[in-house]
Amino acid sequence: MRTKVGQGIGLVLILLWCLFPVAWIFSLSFKSVEEAAAGSPQFLPKDPTLDTYREVLANDDFQRALINSFGISLIATTLSVILATLAAYAIARLDFTGKRVVLSIALAIAMFPVVSLVGPLFDQWRVLGLFDTWPGLIIPYMSFTLPLAIWTLSAFFREIPWEMEQAAQVDGATAWQAFRKVIVPLAAPGVFTAAILTFFFAWNDFVFGISLTSTTDARPVPAQLAFFVGPDQFNAPTSTLAAASMMVTVPIIIIVLLFQRKIVAGLTSGAVKG
Amino acid sequence: MAAIEMKNIVKQYGDGFAAVNDVSIDVADGEFVILVGPSGCGKSTLLRMIVGLEDITSGDMIIGGERVNDIAPRDRDLAMVFQNYALYPHLTVYENIAFPLRLAKNFSESEIDEKVRTASATLELDEHLDRKPGNLSGGQRQRVAMGRAIVRDAKAFLFDEPLSNLDAKLRGQMRTEISRLQRRLGITTVYVTHDQTEAMTLGDRVAVLRRGVMEQLATPRELYENPVNLFVAGFIGSPPMNFLPATVEGDMVELPFGRVKIPAEKAARAKGRGLLIAGIRPEHFEDASVMDRATVAEGSTFRAHVDVTEWLGDQQYAYIPFEAPPEVQAQLTQLERDLDGESIRTQLVVSLDSASRVPEGEEIELYVNAAKMHLFDPSTGDNLTVTSPREETSAHSSSTSSSSSGASVAR
């Protein structure tokens, strides 16, 4: 009983700690520009308005950025997950020389500070003509998310009993069919976990987005937010930014909720004897 | 359906260890052959070489007249039931059974449906078709694995210890079920087990393996009555055959408990070999007090000190410890190790009529049917008294009539 009460209090504290800023932004997004800029803040908007949302949606640059962000993130996620699945499968199942090297290098890349690469990439991308293009962002997103995806997925693949695959082969499946029809569905929780992590990274990235783009051709939403301007230089566009932030956060929340259903723990239970 | 021929099959690993060494077995079309042996004897490896999951180092694997050494598992057209069933957890029972058919690509949807329903009816899985394997009991999963095997008309069935994960009662039921199914479908079957009850009851023929080498390939009856060496003799039978130090003089055998008379023919084969190991099955002993005088007088009796008894209702076992000389002791310890066992002391296990009231810790008079005794060479382990099948049959019928209340009744 006492532990239950303690748990409840702890839970409430954590939720407050995590969600209060979000709630603040949410309320802020319904305040008019003037109210948000006023000196005395209060939690609830005095005069709730949807003007901020209208303004953000009517902004052409924001629309372009939203398309860029979705496109780039989805492509980077898809490619990264496909590559990571294949690589992780090879690492989990095959015995080849240099396996440890591949894994260690992957880990080293994941540890590399992102900012230290921005300068060199900027130069390279200008020369290669990748600056301010979708591929120019997709490539770095992929290279930074692949290591984590590979590590996650190879752990999942190792959990799947060998017999599953052998049974499929005896049943008449080619190696590819066994992989696609048996292994991948069984590793689905791992695949979705990897997909979410990759999508988060790409969607939330600011450093690459601001450094490797110059126009709305490829600029993603987090970078575009920096270009919002208020009605004049003394009034910061706080509430408009809050509205835009809400609109950027909502898709992520929806995607997580969708994928979360797929991440059913213990999907492999019942494969072998219980 | 097809015959499976294994010719001098060898499986050698990179470090030179031979998991299977020069094994040749002919499995006739429709025959049920068991591969049996203690763990690590190479029986599963051999099965996996038949199905193609394990490469063959040398030798020929011929299925249905075709050499399949270099053919992928999926093209060998064999059905296998794995020890842990290897069901696809993301598919329903129906889809699990239909899986091989969908892969084959030459069945229409209605054909698949018909075949799956036939298989599920055979195995009484109809009510579970829409469930996932995770929600099934062990026995049901086992049946789904069988369903996946029988749904396609494969050339042969391969079973890799399919019952080892079930509890004792279910194991008995499934054993009968597998036997019935195999007889009905008349399909060539190779079945791996370490359980000798399964081996004896299911197989048309049984191959006993030890450390990659095939020791004997024979019918269950032949294995039991005429084991070619100590290993087979000790492996087949429960409780196992008793091994005693013995020396032969004329047609008398000197055992730790006394001298018994054996048939002249057996004595002749073991003549002049010094110290031997005598093998006598527990049921060839009997409590002399519960037998009629005439039968006892024909055979040999001796007095022994009973240590512990176990009464099981239909029969009872009595344990009689004895000291073995070091030469024999070494061989017996090695044998015990080969059989995955760990015996602390050398003891005689005798199976007595359940009516016999043997007091523990007392001396009783035991009858032994010495005609059934085997004599083994302690250095090679070979059975010196093994008879050809024809001789064996006549010896069997005569002994049954002579010891009416003895061995054969106690069984």
Side-chain angles (χ1 to χ4, degrees):
Chain A
M1 191 63 210
R2 248 169 87 183
T3 52
K4 272 233 167 113
V5 173
Q7 271 178 7
I9 293 172
L11 205 65
V12 169
L13 281 177
I14 292 170
L15 279 178
L16 271 178
W17 178 266
C18 295
L19 291 182
F20 187 68
V22 180
W24 190 272
I25 294 176
F26 183 72
S27 87
L28 197 56
S29 69
F30 292 101
K31 293 176 181 172
S32 64
V33 177
E34 294 73 30
E35 191 191 339
S40 57
Q42 75 287 336
F43 184 72
L44 292 174
K46 280 180 191 151
D47 182 17
T49 167
L50 284 172
D51 282 351
T52 47
Y53 285 89
R54 270 186 221 110
E55 192 188 327
V56 169
L57 277 177
N59 186 329
D60 283 344
D61 286 353
F62 183 78
Q63 285 172 8
R64 287 285 316 161
L66 212 54
I67 293 169
N68 288 339
S69 258
F70 260 114
I72 290 168
S73 304
L74 283 179
I75 293 171
T77 305
T78 315
L79 290 178
S80 177
V81 166
I82 290 173
L83 284 178
T85 311
L86 297 174
Y89 180 75
I91 285 167
R93 284 285 195 257
L94 306 179
D95 228 3
F96 55 92
T97 42
K99 188 154 116 177
R100 295 185 73 89
V101 178
V102 171
L103 277 174
S104 344
I105 290 180
L107 199 64
I109 290 175
M111 289 175 182
F112 229 87
V114 173
V115 182
S116 66
L117 284 177
V118 167
L121 268 181
F122 177 76
D123 267 351
Q124 275 183 26
W125 269 201
R126 265 193 328 179
V127 174
L128 295 173
L130 286 171
F131 183 72
D132 200 22
T133 60
W134 279 21
L137 284 177
I138 290 170
I139 293 168
Y141 290 163
M142 277 173 63
S143 51
F144 274 97
T145 50
L146 263 175
L148 194 62
I150 290 173
W151 276 80
T152 318
L153 279 168
S154 62
F156 266 90
F157 284 137
R158 270 191 214 107
E159 292 285 305
I160 297 172
W162 251 121
E163 276 88 357
M164 296 275 95
E165 220 176 326
Q166 293 172 343
Q169 282 183 28
V170 174
D171 283 344
T174 59
W176 173 246
Q177 282 174 320
F179 177 68
R180 196 168 52 86
K181 297 195 173 183
V182 177
I183 301 300
V184 172
L186 288 182
V191 172
F192 284 109
T193 312
I196 288 183
L197 291 174
T198 312
F199 191 84
F200 273 13
F201 183 89
W203 184 262
N204 291 337
D205 169 74
F206 176 75
V207 176
F208 288 124
I210 198 89
S211 322
L212 301 178
T213 59
S214 57
T215 66
T216 49
D217 280 353
R219 189 183 291 139
V221 168
Q224 183 62 39
L225 292 184
F227 289 85
F228 271 47
V229 284
D232 54 70
Q233 54 182 339
F234 302 108
N235 280 317
T238 319
S239 56
T240 330
L241 271 176
S245 304
M246 285 317 294
M247 289 171 66
V248 180
T249 317
V250 167
I252 283 282
I253 292 171
I254 290 172
I255 286 171
V256 169
L257 290 180
L258 278 180
F259 278 171
Q260 212 168 29
R261 295 222 174 142
K262 299 273 185 183
I263 307 172
V264 184
L267 194 74
T268 50
S269 71
V272 296
K273 62 148 182 165
Chain B
M1 267 170 270
I4 301 172
E5 281 176 72
M6 289 165 246
K7 289 185 182 163
N8 309 100
I9 296 287
V10 175
K11 172 73 192 186
Q12 201 164 18
Y13 287 107
D15 57 1
F17 174 75
V20 174
N21 204 349
D22 198 21
V23 171
S24 301
I25 302 174
D26 273 352
V27 185
D29 193 356
E31 195 182 13
F32 200 138
V33 167
I34 310 277
L35 306 179
V36 71
S39 56
C41 72
K43 55 192 190 298
S44 285
T45 313
L46 189 58
L47 190 81
R48 293 164 64 82
M49 285 196 280
I50 298 176
V51 79
L53 294 171
E54 203 83 58
D55 289 335
I56 297 167
T57 312
S58 75
D60 296 315
M61 182 68 68
I62 295 160
I63 299 173
E66 190 190 359
R67 189 173 181 272
V68 297
N69 285 40
D70 304 314
I71 294 182
R74 69 194 161 94
D75 298 320
R76 293 195 189 189
D77 195 18
L78 302 169
M80 179 158 169
V81 175
F82 288 80
Q83 182 173 8
N84 58 17
Y85 319 139
L87 302 177
Y88 310 122
H90 58 295
L91 300 177
T92 60
V93 169
Y94 183 98
E95 284 303 322
N96 260 287
I97 298 175
F99 190 79
L101 300 176
R102 294 203 193 282
L103 286 171
K105 292 223 167 76
N106 45 10
F107 296 104
S108 70
E109 198 57 40
S110 59
E111 278 175 308
I112 291 177
D113 190 66
E114 191 195 314
K115 280 173 180 288
V116 171
R117 298 212 178 264
T118 314
S120 87
T122 310
L123 294 161
E124 290 169 30
L125 283 168
D126 286 339
E127 62 208 287
H128 307 301
L129 282 178
D130 296 327
R131 296 169 73 191
K132 292 272 175 74
N135 304 328
L136 300 179
S137 72
Q140 288 163 343
R141 286 183 205 176
Q142 219 278 331
R143 297 214 299 274
V144 177
M146 302 243 302
R148 200 171 59 185
I150 65 168
V151 74
R152 54 199 254 260
D153 307 309
K155 285 181 183 160
F157 283 167
L158 306 172
F159 290 90
D160 188 2
E161 308 207 16
L163 305 182
S164 60
N165 286 333
L166 301 179
D167 60 55
K169 190 179 168 203
L170 208 52
R171 202 179 302 155
Q173 291 168 347
M174 286 310 295
R175 198 174 63 214
T176 326
E177 208 50 52
I178 289 176
S179 183
R180 190 173 295 142
L181 200 66
Q182 199 270 344
R183 301 272 179 262
R184 211 178 74 196
L185 301 172
I187 192 164
T188 316
T189 305
V190 181
Y191 186 107
V192 163
T193 181
H194 64 264
D195 181 296
Q196 52 153 313
T197 318
E198 285 171 31
M200 301 294 272
T201 52
L202 286 173
D204 293 327
R205 280 192 302 159
V206 179
V208 183
L209 291 115
R210 168 172 63 164
R211 285 190 248 138
V213 178
M214 189 168 73
E215 298 285 333
Q216 191 171 6
L217 171 64
T219 61
R221 186 175 288 274
E222 178 73 8
L223 280 184
Y224 191 81
E225 292 176 350
N226 274 322
V228 293
N229 57 27
L230 268 179
F231 176 78
V232 177
F235 188 75
I236 302 291
S238 176
M241 189 185 272
N242 295 296
F243 296 117
L244 309 164
T247 39
V248 180
E249 287 163 30
D251 57 358
M252 297 298 281
V253 179
E254 176 84 43
L255 295 174
F257 308 101
R259 293 159 69 86
V260 295
K261 193 173 180 321
I262 58 166
E265 192 216 353
K266 282 194 177 186
R269 293 185 198 220
K271 209 168 146 186
R273 287 193 182 244
L275 188 64
L276 299 175
I277 295 176
I280 313 170
R281 295 215 178 267
E283 64 269 23
H284 296 142
F285 292 93
E286 188 50 87
D287 179 359
S289 66
V290 298
M291 299 170 69
D292 64 84
R293 287 288 144 207
T295 322
V296 173
E298 275 175 35
S300 309
T301 57
F302 61 89
R303 296 193 67 80
H305 193 85
V306 173
D307 189 17
V308 176
T309 60
E310 288 173 349
W311 189 80
L312 299 172
D314 59 336
Q315 59 189 332
Q316 69 178 325
Y317 298 119
Y319 295 85
I320 302 158
F322 67 89
E323 290 296 329
E327 306 96 294
V328 177
Q329 184 63 52
Q331 175 76 8
L332 291 180
T333 312
Q334 178 58 41
L335 178 68
E336 196 63 39
R337 209 172 294 137
D338 282 348
L339 293 169
D340 287 349
E342 185 94 41
S343 81
I344 300 146
R345 56 172 63 83
T346 44
Q347 59 182 2
L348 189 67
V349 184
V350 300
S351 166
L352 306 177
D353 193 302
S354 58
S356 134
R357 305 245 167 181
V358 182
E360 282 186 16
E362 302 226 342
E363 218 179 55
I364 58 158
E365 186 168 31
L366 282 172
Y367 160 86
V368 55
N369 182 359
K372 295 278 193 175
M373 184 193 294
H374 295 282
L375 290 167
F376 300 92
D377 184 319
S379 54
T380 59
D382 288 342
N383 190 346
L384 302 171
T385 47
V386 68
T387 48
S388 73
R390 214 218 232 117
E391 288 173 284
E392 181 273 325
T393 324
S394 57
H396 178 75
S397 55
S398 65
S399 71
T400 317
S401 52
S402 66
S403 60
S404 52
S405 65
S408 47
V409 176
R411 276 293 288 173

